[in-house]
Amino acid sequence: MITIKDTVPAFDLAAARKITGQLCLKPDSVIGLSTGRTTGGLHREAASIIAEEHIPMQNATFFGLDEVAGVPKEYSGACYTMLKDEIIDAIGVGEPDFLMLPTESDDFDRDCKAFTAELSRRGGIDLLILGLGENGHLGFNQPGTRFESTARLTNMHPELEARIRRELSLPQEHFLGGVTLGIKDIMRARRIVLVAKGAHKARIVRDILRGPVSTAVPGSILQLHPCCEFLLDAAAASLL
Ligand code: GLP
């Protein structure tokens, strides 16, 4: 299903309602969130609706799709800090029910396995709000990632890496990477809402929806998901 909203506020509201609607249906839902410029507004909108409308959320779990590896989690560009600032603290979700992949670890492989095992223990992902990279990436699953991939440590996009190095004055020898759910983990979510806004996303939105399903464009796999909604603003939908 494709939903197109004319304005950014209408887009944020519609996306926020996906989260609050899911909580109304099932207050103990397991809900995955993505960070970036697309999702900040919808997170803040969801937080206001949850407070104003007393949306039930007993035992809800919130988690992040991916995380920057090699930085402190308190860094403003870490997904942990972004999600805490945008929604988690405002809706009063405590650390035990806010699950994130680690920014720092002596064994990312072990932690990734523990993370997905914990999501399964809580019943699996009910709703996953997914951002989309301009090259079609989902989380840190860059073009070429196998569709069978699971949660793991991988590379980050060179542009993002350069920005973080600049912001934190990190030398080249300091390790940076991305930890992310894999494509297989993403496809296991019962329900997905892919969110994209802005004219810079128009080409990739067209490619993931109208192009072939191919590992060259990770987002194209969503054509095969049985319950994925594509929520777009008018600019992102302009080439459909
Ligand atoms: C980053 C994040 C993704 C996010 C994507 C889109 O790569 N790792 O989780 O979906 O950016 O970001 P934006 O919404 O800023 O375009």
Side-chain angles (χ1 to χ4, degrees):
M1 179 164 94
I2 301 174
T3 304
I4 301 170
K5 293 290 169 185
D6 285 339
T7 64
V8 168
F11 168 91
D12 287 342
L13 178 61
R17 288 273 181 217
K18 302 295 166 190
I19 297 173
T20 58
Q22 177 65 40
L23 288 166
C24 290
L25 280 174
K26 185 172 180 267
D28 63 345
S29 288
V30 175
I31 298 178
L33 303 173
S34 298
T35 49
R37 283 155 297 180
T38 312
T39 47
L42 77 87
H43 291 157
R44 284 184 277 271
E45 185 68 44
S48 329
I49 297 172
I50 287 170
E52 279 162 24
E53 299 182 11
H54 309 292
I55 301 289
M57 40 181 284
Q58 291 83 9
N59 304 317
T61 299
F62 286 83
F63 71 94
L65 165 73
D66 56 6
E67 184 55 285
V68 179
V71 299
K73 69 181 183 183
E74 293 76 19
Y75 162 52
S76 60
C79 301
Y80 169 85
T81 291
M82 292 175 76
L83 290 177
K84 259 181 98 71
D85 291 351
E86 291 169 4
I87 179 167
I88 298 299
D89 285 350
I91 62 178
V93 169
E95 292 282 329
D97 295 319
F98 174 39
L99 307 182
M100 291 300 290
L101 288 155
T103 58
E104 294 173 297
S105 172
D106 57 359
D107 188 344
F108 280 102
D109 190 42
R110 174 202 63 209
D111 295 342
C112 285
K113 288 197 173 80
F115 184 79
T116 43
E118 183 59 19
L119 292 180
S120 300
R121 198 187 65 76
R122 292 177 184 232
I125 305 169
D126 291 301
L127 170 67
L128 178 56
I129 307 287
L130 265 188
L132 175 68
E134 275 177 69
N135 64 358
H137 71 238
L138 300 175
F140 281 108
N141 297 289
Q142 297 295 337
T145 303
R146 291 179 315 115
F147 287 153
E148 295 77 21
S149 60
T150 52
R152 71 204 183 285
L153 175 65
T154 180
N155 299 324
M156 69 170 74
H157 193 279
E159 268 172 37
L160 179 60
E161 180 169 340
R163 199 186 79 209
I164 295 175
R165 285 195 190 284
R166 237 186 357 261
E167 282 181 12
L168 294 177
S169 309
L170 295 175
Q172 212 47 47
E173 55 276 17
H174 180 99
F175 159 78
L176 279 181
V179 256
T180 184
L181 283 190
I183 301 286
K184 190 172 176 179
D185 306 310
I186 290 171
M187 289 298 280
R188 281 192 175 140
R190 291 186 190 90
R191 197 170 145 227
I192 295 176
V193 177
L194 182 289
V195 288
K197 71 181 178 195
H200 61 298
K201 296 282 173 78
R203 191 191 53 81
I204 193 62
V205 163
R206 181 198 59 200
D207 290 352
I208 66 164
L209 279 161
R210 307 284 185 238
V213 175
S214 158
T215 54
V217 183
S220 64
I221 188 73
L222 299 174
Q223 291 179 32
L224 304 184
H225 193 278
C227 190
C228 179
E229 179 175 351
F230 297 83
L231 176 56
L232 313 170
D233 76 345
S238 60
L239 294 179
L240 292 178

